[in-house]
Amino acid sequence: MDRVILFNKPFGVLSQFTDKGTEGSARPTLSGFIDQPGFYPAGRLDKDSEGLLVLTDKGALQARISHPKYKRPKTYWVQVEGTPDAAALDALRRGVVLKDGKTAPAEITPMETPEGLWERDPPVRFRKSVPDAWLRITIREGRNRQVRRMTAHVGLPTLRLIRAQIGDWHLNDLRPGAWRWASETGA
């Protein structure tokens, strides 16, 4: 039976077990949080993003989770700078043209600040003169920094990005830096 770990990746942590960056950089990696041998992330979250990262010990399952051809939905809580208007939300729902082509349509819902949201370290920068808002965004592709590039394209730069769900796997009340076992099916 395949084993699956659900991990709440903190801000600033690399989605890998070793840092292949510059010598002496000492950036935090998954090895500082997960001590289970043979597990690998199914997909990635950039170091500036937080939230749900799924890890497995089976390559075939890893591919089914992360490969775009399976169109597994990924839902993000996105804090953006500015006030989303109908035109920006409609553009995201239709798909926007980025440097690497048009994105597939996204599901977009304005939302309140997520319940039980933890403080981020370092905190998000706030400007009193510029409002911010939260959006729930679901995509079925996985381009590099896709959600950030999509929101920037419609004039809503991302301030904070938290992946809350992959398929049927949910972040729920998993705190940053914590992990738990999950079933292969995504329950």
Side-chain angles (χ1 to χ4, degrees):
M1 180 176 167
D2 297 337
R3 297 181 303 156
V4 173
I5 290 174
L6 303 182
F7 175 60
N8 186 345
K9 188 190 87 62
F11 179 86
V13 174
L14 300 178
S15 293
Q16 55 200 42
F17 282 92
T18 59
D19 182 4
K20 296 180 176 90
T22 59
E23 188 175 329
S25 65
R27 297 178 296 183
T29 66
L30 299 177
S31 62
F33 301 90
I34 300 170
D35 62 354
Q36 298 295 314
F39 278 83
Y40 300 94
R44 303 181 71 77
L45 269 178
D46 64 57
K47 73 178 186 63
D48 297 330
S49 299
E50 308 164 70
L52 186 60
L53 189 63
V54 176
L55 296 95
T56 180
D57 59 350
K58 298 291 188 250
L61 178 58
Q62 183 181 22
R64 285 196 315 271
I65 294 168
S66 60
H67 198 282
K69 78 177 182 180
Y70 295 105
K71 299 190 184 332
R72 187 177 290 260
K74 294 172 277 307
T75 300
Y76 299 85
W77 300 330
V78 186
Q79 184 181 26
V80 295
E81 185 175 88
T83 303
D85 60 18
L89 298 178
D90 288 344
L92 293 170
R93 289 181 181 120
R94 287 190 311 271
V96 295
V97 179
L98 303 175
K99 288 180 182 177
D100 55 352
K102 186 173 182 179
T103 64
E107 297 169 29
I108 311 289
T109 308
M111 64 183 287
E112 296 297 320
T113 301
E115 190 174 323
L117 184 64
W118 55 89
E119 294 294 321
R120 195 184 84 176
D121 183 23
V124 172
R125 66 172 170 81
F126 288 104
R127 297 188 309 183
K128 290 182 181 181
S129 62
V130 180
D132 63 83
W134 283 92
L135 300 172
R136 178 178 288 112
I137 300 178
T138 300
I139 61 173
R140 286 177 169 74
E141 12 179 35
R143 301 181 197 184
N144 186 40
R145 300 177 69 86
Q146 180 176 343
V147 172
R148 291 178 187 280
R149 293 188 298 137
M150 289 170 63
T151 62
H153 183 81
V154 298
L156 300 166
T158 294
L159 297 172
R160 189 171 183 189
L161 185 122
I162 302 166
R163 186 161 52 201
Q165 185 175 346
I166 299 173
D168 293 329
W169 290 301
H170 294 264
L171 191 58
N172 292 333
D173 59 356
L174 195 60
R175 303 308 294 171
W179 65 271
R180 69 173 176 264
W181 295 107
S183 72
E184 173 185 341
T185 60

Coordinates of all heavy atoms in Angstrom, one line a residue, residues 5-11 13-16 30 40-55 65-67 72-79 111 114 117-118 134-148 158 160-176 180:
I5 N 2.0 11.4 3.0 CA 2.1 12.3 4.1 C 1.6 13.7 3.6 O 1.8 14.1 2.5 CB 3.6 12.5 4.5 CG1 4.2 11.3 5.1 CG2 3.8 13.7 5.3 CD1 5.7 11.3 5.4
L6 N 0.8 14.3 4.5 CA 0.3 15.7 4.3 C 1.1 16.6 5.2 O 1.2 16.3 6.4 CB -1.2 15.8 4.6 CG -2.1 14.9 3.8 CD1 -3.6 15.1 4.2 CD2 -1.9 15.0 2.3
F7 N 1.7 17.6 4.6 CA 2.6 18.5 5.3 C 2.2 19.9 5.1 O 1.9 20.3 4.0 CB 4.1 18.3 4.8 CG 5.1 19.2 5.4 CD1 5.3 19.3 6.8 CD2 5.8 20.0 4.6 CE1 6.3 20.1 7.3 CE2 6.8 20.9 5.1 CZ 7.0 20.9 6.5
N8 N 2.2 20.7 6.2 CA 1.9 22.1 6.0 C 3.2 22.8 5.9 O 3.9 23.1 7.0 CB 1.1 22.7 7.2 CG 0.7 24.1 7.0 OD1 1.2 24.8 6.2 ND2 -0.3 24.6 7.8
K9 N 3.6 23.1 4.7 CA 5.0 23.7 4.5 C 5.0 25.2 4.9 O 4.2 26.0 4.5 CB 5.3 23.7 3.0 CG 6.8 24.1 2.7 CD 7.0 24.3 1.2 CE 6.7 25.7 0.7 NZ 7.4 26.8 1.3
P10 N 5.8 25.6 5.8 CA 5.9 26.9 6.3 C 6.6 27.8 5.2 O 7.3 27.4 4.3 CB 6.9 26.9 7.5 CG 6.9 25.5 7.9 CD 6.7 24.7 6.7
F11 N 6.3 29.1 5.3 CA 7.0 30.1 4.4 C 8.5 30.0 4.6 O 9.0 29.8 5.6 CB 6.5 31.5 4.9 CG 7.1 32.6 4.1 CD1 6.5 33.1 2.9 CD2 8.3 33.3 4.5 CE1 7.1 34.1 2.2 CE2 8.8 34.3 3.8 CZ 8.2 34.7 2.6
V13 N 10.5 27.6 3.5 CA 11.0 26.3 3.4 C 11.0 25.8 2.0 O 10.0 26.0 1.3 CB 10.2 25.3 4.3 CG1 10.7 23.9 4.2 CG2 10.3 25.8 5.8
L14 N 12.1 25.2 1.5 CA 12.2 24.6 0.2 C 11.4 23.3 0.1 O 11.4 22.5 1.1 CB 13.7 24.3 -0.2 CG 14.6 25.5 -0.2 CD1 16.0 25.1 -0.6 CD2 14.1 26.6 -1.2
S15 N 10.8 23.0 -1.0 CA 10.0 21.8 -1.2 C 10.9 20.6 -1.6 O 10.6 19.9 -2.6 CB 8.9 22.0 -2.3 OG 8.0 22.9 -1.8
Q16 N 12.0 20.5 -0.9 CA 13.0 19.4 -1.2 C 13.7 19.0 0.1 O 13.6 19.8 1.0 CB 13.9 19.8 -2.3 CG 14.7 21.1 -2.0 CD 15.3 21.7 -3.2 OE1 14.6 21.8 -4.3 NE2 16.5 22.2 -3.1
L30 N 12.7 20.3 3.7 CA 11.8 19.3 4.3 C 12.4 18.4 5.3 O 11.8 17.9 6.3 CB 11.2 18.4 3.2 CG 10.4 19.2 2.1 CD1 9.9 18.2 1.1 CD2 9.2 19.9 2.7
Y40 N 9.0 11.6 -1.1 CA 9.3 12.7 -2.0 C 8.1 13.5 -2.3 O 7.0 13.0 -2.3 CB 9.9 12.1 -3.4 CG 11.1 11.3 -3.2 CD1 11.1 9.9 -3.0 CD2 12.3 12.0 -3.1 CE1 12.2 9.2 -2.8 CE2 13.5 11.2 -2.8 CZ 13.4 9.9 -2.7 OH 14.5 9.1 -2.4
P41 N 8.2 14.8 -2.5 CA 7.1 15.7 -2.7 C 6.4 15.4 -4.1 O 7.1 15.1 -5.0 CB 7.6 17.1 -2.6 CG 9.1 17.0 -2.6 CD 9.5 15.6 -2.4
A42 N 5.1 15.3 -4.1 CA 4.4 15.2 -5.3 C 3.9 16.6 -5.7 O 2.9 17.1 -5.3 CB 3.2 14.3 -5.1
G43 N 4.7 17.3 -6.5 CA 4.5 18.7 -6.8 C 5.4 19.5 -6.0 O 6.1 19.0 -5.1
R44 N 5.3 20.8 -6.2 CA 6.1 21.8 -5.4 C 5.3 23.0 -5.0 O 4.3 23.3 -5.5 CB 7.3 22.2 -6.3 CG 8.1 21.1 -6.9 CD 9.3 21.6 -7.7 NE 10.3 22.2 -7.0 CZ 11.2 21.6 -6.3 NH1 11.2 20.3 -6.2 NH2 12.2 22.2 -5.6
L45 N 5.9 23.6 -4.0 CA 5.4 25.0 -3.6 C 6.7 25.8 -3.5 O 7.6 25.3 -2.8 CB 4.8 24.9 -2.2 CG 3.3 24.7 -2.1 CD1 2.9 24.6 -0.6 CD2 2.5 25.7 -2.8
D46 N 6.7 27.0 -4.1 CA 7.9 27.8 -4.0 C 8.2 28.2 -2.6 O 7.3 28.1 -1.7 CB 7.9 28.9 -5.0 CG 6.8 29.9 -4.7 OD1 6.8 30.5 -3.5 OD2 6.0 30.2 -5.5
K47 N 9.4 28.6 -2.3 CA 9.7 28.9 -0.9 C 8.9 30.0 -0.3 O 8.7 30.1 0.9 CB 11.2 29.2 -0.7 CG 11.7 30.5 -1.2 CD 13.2 30.6 -1.0 CE 13.8 31.9 -1.4 NZ 13.2 33.0 -0.6
D48 N 8.4 30.9 -1.1 CA 7.5 32.0 -0.6 C 6.1 31.6 -0.4 O 5.3 32.5 -0.1 CB 7.6 33.2 -1.6 CG 9.1 33.7 -1.7 OD1 9.8 33.6 -0.7 OD2 9.4 34.2 -2.8
S49 N 5.7 30.4 -0.7 CA 4.3 29.9 -0.6 C 4.3 29.0 0.6 O 5.3 28.4 1.0 CB 3.8 29.2 -1.8 OG 3.9 30.1 -2.9
E50 N 3.1 28.9 1.1 CA 2.8 28.0 2.3 C 1.7 27.0 2.0 O 1.1 27.1 1.0 CB 2.3 28.9 3.5 CG 3.1 30.1 3.8 CD 2.4 31.1 4.6 OE1 2.1 30.9 5.8 OE2 2.0 32.2 4.1
G51 N 1.6 26.1 3.0 CA 0.4 25.2 2.9 C 0.7 23.8 2.5 O 1.8 23.3 2.7
L52 N -0.3 23.2 2.0 CA -0.4 21.7 1.8 C 0.6 21.2 0.7 O 0.6 21.7 -0.4 CB -1.8 21.3 1.4 CG -2.0 19.8 1.2 CD1 -1.8 19.1 2.6 CD2 -3.4 19.5 0.7
L53 N 1.5 20.3 1.2 CA 2.4 19.6 0.3 C 2.2 18.1 0.6 O 2.2 17.7 1.7 CB 3.9 20.0 0.7 CG 5.0 19.5 -0.3 CD1 4.8 20.2 -1.7 CD2 6.3 19.9 0.3
V54 N 2.0 17.4 -0.5 CA 1.7 16.0 -0.4 C 3.0 15.2 -0.8 O 3.7 15.6 -1.7 CB 0.6 15.5 -1.4 CG1 0.4 14.0 -1.3 CG2 -0.7 16.2 -1.0
L55 N 3.4 14.3 0.1 CA 4.6 13.5 -0.2 C 4.2 12.0 -0.2 O 3.3 11.6 0.5 CB 5.6 13.7 0.9 CG 6.2 15.1 1.1 CD1 5.4 15.9 2.1 CD2 7.6 15.1 1.4
I65 N -0.4 12.4 -8.8 CA -0.8 13.5 -8.0 C -0.3 14.8 -8.7 O -1.1 15.8 -8.7 CB -0.2 13.5 -6.6 CG1 -0.8 12.3 -5.8 CG2 -0.3 14.8 -5.8 CD1 0.0 12.0 -4.5
S66 N 0.9 14.8 -9.2 CA 1.5 16.1 -9.7 C 1.4 16.3 -11.2 O 1.4 17.5 -11.6 CB 2.9 16.2 -9.2 OG 3.7 15.1 -9.7
H67 N 1.3 15.3 -12.0 CA 1.3 15.6 -13.4 C 0.0 16.3 -13.9 O -1.1 15.9 -13.6 CB 1.5 14.3 -14.2 CG 2.0 14.5 -15.6 ND1 1.2 14.9 -16.6 CD2 3.2 14.4 -16.1 CE1 1.9 15.0 -17.7 NE2 3.1 14.7 -17.4
R72 N -5.7 17.2 -11.5 CA -6.1 17.2 -10.1 C -6.2 18.6 -9.6 O -5.3 19.4 -9.7 CB -5.1 16.4 -9.2 CG -5.5 16.2 -7.8 CD -4.4 15.4 -7.0 NE -4.4 14.0 -7.5 CZ -5.0 13.0 -6.8 NH1 -5.6 13.3 -5.7 NH2 -4.9 11.8 -7.3
P73 N -7.4 19.0 -9.1 CA -7.6 20.4 -8.7 C -6.7 20.7 -7.4 O -6.6 19.9 -6.5 CB -9.1 20.5 -8.3 CG -9.5 19.1 -8.1 CD -8.6 18.2 -8.9
K74 N -6.2 22.0 -7.5 CA -5.4 22.5 -6.4 C -6.1 23.8 -6.0 O -6.2 24.7 -6.8 CB -4.0 22.7 -6.8 CG -3.2 21.4 -7.1 CD -1.9 21.6 -7.7 CE -1.8 21.8 -9.2 NZ -2.5 20.9 -10.1
T75 N -6.4 24.0 -4.7 CA -7.1 25.2 -4.2 C -6.1 25.9 -3.3 O -5.5 25.4 -2.4 CB -8.4 24.8 -3.5 OG1 -9.2 24.1 -4.4 CG2 -9.1 26.0 -2.9
Y76 N -6.1 27.3 -3.6 CA -5.2 28.2 -2.8 C -6.1 29.3 -2.2 O -7.1 29.7 -2.7 CB -4.2 28.8 -3.8 CG -3.4 27.9 -4.5 CD1 -3.8 27.2 -5.7 CD2 -2.1 27.6 -4.0 CE1 -2.9 26.3 -6.3 CE2 -1.3 26.7 -4.7 CZ -1.7 26.0 -5.8 OH -0.9 25.1 -6.5
W77 N -5.6 29.7 -1.0 CA -6.1 30.9 -0.4 C -5.1 32.0 -0.7 O -3.9 31.8 -0.4 CB -6.2 30.8 1.1 CG -7.1 29.7 1.6 CD1 -8.3 29.2 1.0 CD2 -7.0 29.0 2.8 NE1 -8.8 28.2 1.7 CE2 -8.1 28.1 2.9 CE3 -6.1 29.0 3.9 CZ2 -8.3 27.2 3.9 CZ3 -6.3 28.1 4.9 CH2 -7.4 27.2 4.9
V78 N -5.5 33.0 -1.4 CA -4.6 34.0 -1.9 C -4.9 35.4 -1.4 O -6.0 35.9 -1.7 CB -4.6 34.0 -3.5 CG1 -3.5 34.9 -4.0 CG2 -4.4 32.6 -4.0
Q79 N -4.0 36.0 -0.7 CA -4.2 37.4 -0.3 C -3.5 38.3 -1.3 O -2.4 38.1 -1.7 CB -3.5 37.6 1.1 CG -3.7 39.0 1.6 CD -3.0 39.2 3.0 OE1 -2.0 38.5 3.2 NE2 -3.6 40.1 3.8
M111 N -13.2 35.6 -0.6 CA -13.5 35.0 0.7 C -13.0 35.9 1.8 O -12.2 36.9 1.6 CB -12.7 33.7 0.8 CG -11.2 33.8 0.7 SD -10.3 32.2 0.7 CE -10.5 31.7 2.4
P114 N -9.1 33.4 6.0 CA -9.3 32.0 6.4 C -9.4 31.9 7.9 O -8.6 32.4 8.6 CB -8.1 31.3 5.8 CG -7.7 32.1 4.7 CD -7.9 33.5 5.1
L117 N -6.3 31.1 10.6 CA -5.1 31.4 9.9 C -4.0 31.8 10.9 O -4.2 32.6 11.8 CB -5.3 32.6 8.9 CG -4.1 32.9 8.0 CD1 -3.7 31.7 7.1 CD2 -4.4 34.1 7.2
W118 N -2.8 31.2 10.7 CA -1.6 31.4 11.5 C -0.9 32.7 11.0 O -1.0 33.1 9.9 CB -0.7 30.2 11.5 CG -0.3 29.8 10.1 CD1 0.8 30.3 9.3 CD2 -1.0 29.0 9.1 NE1 0.8 29.8 8.1 CE2 -0.3 29.0 7.9 CE3 -2.2 28.2 9.2 CZ2 -0.7 28.3 6.8 CZ3 -2.5 27.5 8.1 CH2 -1.8 27.5 7.0
W134 N -8.8 38.6 0.1 CA -8.6 37.2 0.0 C -9.4 36.6 -1.1 O -10.6 36.9 -1.3 CB -8.9 36.5 1.3 CG -7.8 36.7 2.3 CD1 -7.8 37.7 3.3 CD2 -6.6 35.9 2.5 NE1 -6.7 37.6 4.1 CE2 -5.9 36.5 3.6 CE3 -6.1 34.8 1.9 CZ2 -4.7 36.0 4.1 CZ3 -4.9 34.3 2.4 CH2 -4.2 34.8 3.5
L135 N -8.8 35.7 -1.9 CA -9.5 34.9 -2.9 C -9.2 33.4 -2.7 O -8.2 33.0 -2.3 CB -9.0 35.3 -4.3 CG -9.1 36.8 -4.7 CD1 -8.4 37.0 -6.1 CD2 -10.6 37.2 -4.9
R136 N -10.2 32.6 -3.0 CA -10.1 31.2 -3.1 C -9.9 30.9 -4.6 O -10.9 31.2 -5.4 CB -11.3 30.4 -2.5 CG -11.1 28.9 -2.6 CD -12.3 28.2 -2.0 NE -12.2 28.3 -0.5 CZ -13.0 29.0 0.2 NH1 -14.0 29.7 -0.3 NH2 -12.9 29.1 1.5
I137 N -8.8 30.3 -5.0 CA -8.5 30.1 -6.4 C -8.2 28.6 -6.6 O -7.3 28.0 -5.9 CB -7.3 30.9 -6.9 CG1 -7.6 32.4 -6.8 CG2 -6.9 30.5 -8.4 CD1 -6.5 33.3 -7.2
T138 N -8.9 27.9 -7.5 CA -8.7 26.5 -7.8 C -8.3 26.4 -9.3 O -8.9 26.9 -10.2 CB -10.0 25.7 -7.6 OG1 -10.4 25.8 -6.2 CG2 -9.7 24.2 -7.9
I139 N -7.1 25.8 -9.5 CA -6.6 25.5 -10.8 C -6.4 24.0 -11.0 O -6.3 23.3 -10.0 CB -5.3 26.3 -11.1 CG1 -4.2 25.9 -10.0 CG2 -5.5 27.8 -11.0 CD1 -2.8 26.5 -10.3
R140 N -6.2 23.6 -12.3 CA -6.0 22.2 -12.6 C -4.7 22.0 -13.4 O -4.6 21.0 -14.1 CB -7.2 21.7 -13.3 CG -8.4 21.5 -12.4 CD -9.6 21.0 -13.1 NE -10.6 20.6 -12.1 CZ -11.4 21.4 -11.4 NH1 -11.2 22.7 -11.4 NH2 -12.2 20.9 -10.5
E141 N -3.9 23.0 -13.4 CA -2.6 22.9 -14.0 C -1.5 23.2 -12.9 O -1.9 23.4 -11.8 CB -2.4 23.8 -15.2 CG -3.4 24.8 -15.4 CD -3.2 25.7 -16.6 OE1 -2.7 25.3 -17.7 OE2 -3.5 26.9 -16.5
G142 N -0.3 23.3 -13.3 CA 0.7 23.5 -12.3 C 2.0 24.2 -12.8 O 3.1 23.7 -12.6
R143 N 1.8 25.3 -13.5 CA 3.0 26.0 -14.0 C 3.7 26.7 -12.9 O 3.2 27.0 -11.8 CB 2.5 27.1 -15.0 CG 1.7 26.5 -16.2 CD 1.4 27.6 -17.1 NE 0.3 27.2 -18.0 CZ -0.1 28.0 -19.0 NH1 0.4 29.2 -19.2 NH2 -1.1 27.6 -19.8
N144 N 5.0 27.0 -13.2 CA 5.8 27.6 -12.2 C 5.2 29.0 -11.7 O 4.9 29.8 -12.6 CB 7.2 27.8 -12.8 CG 8.2 28.4 -11.8 OD1 8.2 28.0 -10.6 ND2 9.0 29.3 -12.2
R145 N 5.0 29.1 -10.5 CA 4.4 30.4 -9.9 C 3.2 30.8 -10.6 O 2.9 32.0 -10.7 CB 5.5 31.4 -9.8 CG 6.7 31.0 -9.0 CD 7.8 32.0 -9.0 NE 7.5 33.2 -8.2 CZ 7.7 33.4 -6.9 NH1 8.1 32.4 -6.2 NH2 7.4 34.6 -6.4
Q146 N 2.4 29.9 -11.0 CA 1.2 30.2 -11.8 C 0.2 31.2 -11.2 O -0.2 32.1 -11.8 CB 0.5 28.9 -12.3 CG -0.7 29.2 -13.1 CD -1.4 28.0 -13.6 OE1 -0.8 26.9 -13.6 NE2 -2.6 28.1 -14.1
V147 N -0.2 30.9 -10.0 CA -1.2 31.7 -9.3 C -0.7 33.1 -9.1 O -1.4 34.1 -9.4 CB -1.7 31.1 -8.0 CG1 -2.6 32.0 -7.2 CG2 -2.4 29.8 -8.2
R148 N 0.5 33.3 -8.7 CA 1.1 34.6 -8.5 C 1.2 35.4 -9.9 O 0.9 36.6 -9.9 CB 2.6 34.5 -8.0 CG 2.7 34.0 -6.6 CD 4.1 33.8 -6.1 NE 4.2 33.2 -4.8 CZ 4.0 33.8 -3.7 NH1 3.7 35.1 -3.7 NH2 4.1 33.2 -2.5
T158 N 0.1 39.2 -5.6 CA -0.1 38.2 -4.5 C 0.8 38.7 -3.3 O 2.0 38.8 -3.5 CB 0.2 36.8 -4.9 OG1 -0.8 36.4 -5.8 CG2 0.2 35.9 -3.7
R160 N 0.3 36.9 -0.2 CA 0.4 35.6 0.6 C -0.3 34.6 -0.2 O -1.5 34.8 -0.6 CB -0.2 35.8 2.0 CG 0.2 34.6 2.9 CD -0.2 34.9 4.3 NE 0.1 33.8 5.2 CZ -0.2 33.7 6.4 NH1 -1.0 34.6 7.0 NH2 0.1 32.6 7.2
L161 N 0.3 33.4 -0.3 CA -0.3 32.3 -1.0 C -0.2 31.0 -0.2 O 0.9 30.6 0.2 CB 0.4 32.1 -2.4 CG -0.2 31.0 -3.2 CD1 -0.6 31.6 -4.6 CD2 0.7 29.9 -3.4
I162 N -1.4 30.4 0.1 CA -1.4 29.2 0.9 C -2.2 28.2 0.1 O -3.4 28.4 -0.2 CB -2.2 29.5 2.3 CG1 -1.4 30.6 3.0 CG2 -2.3 28.2 3.1 CD1 -2.2 31.2 4.2
R163 N -1.6 27.0 -0.1 CA -2.3 25.9 -0.8 C -3.1 25.2 0.3 O -2.6 24.7 1.3 CB -1.4 24.9 -1.5 CG -2.2 23.9 -2.3 CD -1.4 23.2 -3.3 NE -0.2 22.7 -2.9 CZ 0.8 22.4 -3.6 NH1 0.8 22.6 -4.9 NH2 1.9 21.8 -3.1
A164 N -4.4 25.1 0.1 CA -5.3 24.6 1.1 C -5.8 23.2 0.8 O -6.2 22.4 1.7 CB -6.6 25.5 1.3
Q165 N -5.7 22.8 -0.5 CA -6.3 21.5 -0.9 C -5.6 21.0 -2.2 O -5.3 21.8 -3.1 CB -7.8 21.7 -1.1 CG -8.5 20.4 -1.4 CD -10.0 20.7 -1.5 OE1 -10.6 21.7 -1.1 NE2 -10.8 19.7 -2.0
I166 N -5.4 19.7 -2.3 CA -5.0 19.0 -3.5 C -5.9 17.9 -3.7 O -5.9 16.9 -2.8 CB -3.5 18.6 -3.4 CG1 -2.6 19.7 -3.2 CG2 -3.2 17.8 -4.7 CD1 -1.1 19.3 -3.0
G167 N -6.8 17.9 -4.7 CA -7.7 16.8 -4.9 C -8.6 16.8 -3.7 O -9.2 17.8 -3.3
D168 N -8.7 15.6 -3.0 CA -9.6 15.5 -1.8 C -8.8 15.7 -0.5 O -9.3 15.5 0.6 CB -10.3 14.1 -1.8 CG -11.3 14.0 -2.9 OD1 -11.9 15.0 -3.3 OD2 -11.5 12.8 -3.4
W169 N -7.5 15.9 -0.6 CA -6.7 16.1 0.6 C -6.8 17.6 1.0 O -6.6 18.5 0.2 CB -5.2 15.8 0.3 CG -4.9 14.4 0.2 CD1 -5.1 13.4 1.1 CD2 -4.3 13.7 -1.0 NE1 -4.7 12.2 0.6 CE2 -4.2 12.4 -0.7 CE3 -3.8 14.2 -2.2 CZ2 -3.6 11.5 -1.6 CZ3 -3.2 13.3 -3.0 CH2 -3.1 12.0 -2.7
H170 N -7.1 17.8 2.3 CA -7.3 19.2 2.8 C -6.2 19.5 3.9 O -5.8 18.6 4.6 CB -8.6 19.3 3.5 CG -9.8 19.2 2.5 ND1 -10.4 20.2 2.0 CD2 -10.4 18.1 2.1 CE1 -11.4 19.8 1.2 NE2 -11.4 18.5 1.2
L171 N -5.9 20.7 4.0 CA -5.0 21.2 5.0 C -5.6 21.1 6.4 O -5.0 20.7 7.4 CB -4.6 22.7 4.7 CG -3.5 23.3 5.5 CD1 -2.2 22.5 5.3 CD2 -3.3 24.7 5.0
N172 N -6.9 21.4 6.4 CA -7.7 21.4 7.7 C -7.0 22.1 8.8 O -6.5 23.2 8.5 CB -8.1 19.9 8.1 CG -9.1 19.3 7.1 OD1 -9.8 20.0 6.5 ND2 -9.0 18.0 7.0
D173 N -6.8 21.5 9.9 CA -6.2 22.3 11.1 C -4.7 21.9 11.3 O -4.1 22.1 12.3 CB -7.0 22.0 12.4 CG -7.0 20.5 12.7 OD1 -6.5 19.7 11.9 OD2 -7.5 20.2 13.8
L174 N -4.1 21.4 10.2 CA -2.6 21.1 10.3 C -1.8 22.4 10.4 O -2.0 23.3 9.6 CB -2.2 20.3 9.0 CG -0.9 19.6 9.0 CD1 -0.9 18.5 10.1 CD2 -0.7 18.9 7.6
R175 N -1.1 22.5 11.4 CA -0.3 23.7 11.7 C 1.0 23.8 10.9 O 1.5 22.7 10.5 CB 0.1 23.8 13.2 CG -1.1 23.8 14.2 CD -2.2 24.8 13.8 NE -1.8 26.2 14.0 CZ -2.5 27.3 13.6 NH1 -3.6 27.1 13.0 NH2 -2.0 28.5 13.8
P176 N 1.5 24.9 10.6 CA 2.8 25.0 9.9 C 3.9 24.2 10.5 O 4.1 24.2 11.7 CB 3.1 26.5 9.9 CG 1.8 27.2 10.2 CD 1.0 26.3 11.0
R180 N 0.9 14.8 8.9 CA 0.1 13.6 9.3 C 0.0 12.7 8.1 O 0.2 13.0 7.0 CB -1.2 14.1 9.8 CG -2.2 14.6 8.6 CD -3.6 14.9 9.2 NE -4.4 15.4 8.1 CZ -4.6 16.7 8.0 NH1 -4.1 17.6 8.8 NH2 -5.4 17.2 7.0

